[in-house]
């Protein structure tokens, strides 16, 4: 909003705009609810999720994935290949090939990998991913 003046004189009116942001707010609320439900489901089931933005290279790990790998909840941002440090060296090529194939063909992947939590506890991970 701003004032409308009579030349350099007194204010003779105001002009403003109003925008309905209800739809945007409902959308943001729905996203927050969905994220909370996903986080609770991951906690109850003992799974985690991740996403990678191919344009920016940014990778986000859920709190559930942090728990699976024995990490404290914290920064969701990670480097694209950082997960490989948890995968046993002899299984790294399996996941790298599966991800590359998915990126190239668009077909989802489903692999089992041997891994270790941060504290060294062995894991067998069932990993699924798709390009969206």
């Amino acid at each position: 909003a701003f004032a409308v003046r009579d030349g350099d004189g007194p204010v003779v009116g105001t002009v403003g705009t109003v925008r309905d942001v209800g739809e945007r707010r409902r959308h943001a609320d729905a996203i927050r609810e969905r994220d909370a439900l996903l986080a609770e489901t991951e906690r109850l089931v003992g799974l985690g999720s991740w996403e990678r933005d191919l344009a920016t290279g940014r990778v986000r790990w859920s709190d559930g994935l942090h728990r699976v790998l024995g990490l404290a909840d914290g920064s969701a941002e990670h480097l694209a290949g950082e997960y490989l440090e948890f995968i046993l060296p002899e299984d790294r090529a399996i996941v790298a090939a599966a991800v590359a194939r998915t990126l190239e063909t668009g077909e989802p992947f489903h692999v089992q990998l041997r891994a270790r939590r941060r504290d060294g506890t062995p894991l067998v991970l069932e990993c699924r991913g798709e390009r969206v």
Side-chain angles (χ1 to χ4, degrees), residues 61 69 71 82-88 114-116 118:
W61 292 3
L69 297 175
L71 304 170
E82 191 174 342
Y83 69 93
L84 288 173
E85 76 179 72
F86 298 94
I87 307 301
L88 294 187
R114 294 167 296 157
R116 293 206 180 274
R118 177 58 47 92

Side-chain angles (χ1 to χ4, degrees), residues 33-81:
E33 288 175 17
R34 185 210 61 182
D35 288 348
L37 179 60
L38 175 61
E40 182 65 6
T41 301
E42 286 187 352
R43 187 186 67 76
L44 291 171
V45 179
L47 59 88
S49 60
W50 53 270
E51 61 186 50
R52 181 173 74 177
D53 183 325
L54 297 175
T56 66
R58 293 174 62 186
V59 177
R60 184 186 170 285
W61 292 3
S62 69
D63 286 345
L65 184 56
H66 282 96
R67 283 189 293 275
V68 166
L69 297 175
L71 304 170
D73 293 350
S75 171
E77 297 249 342
H78 291 273
L79 302 173

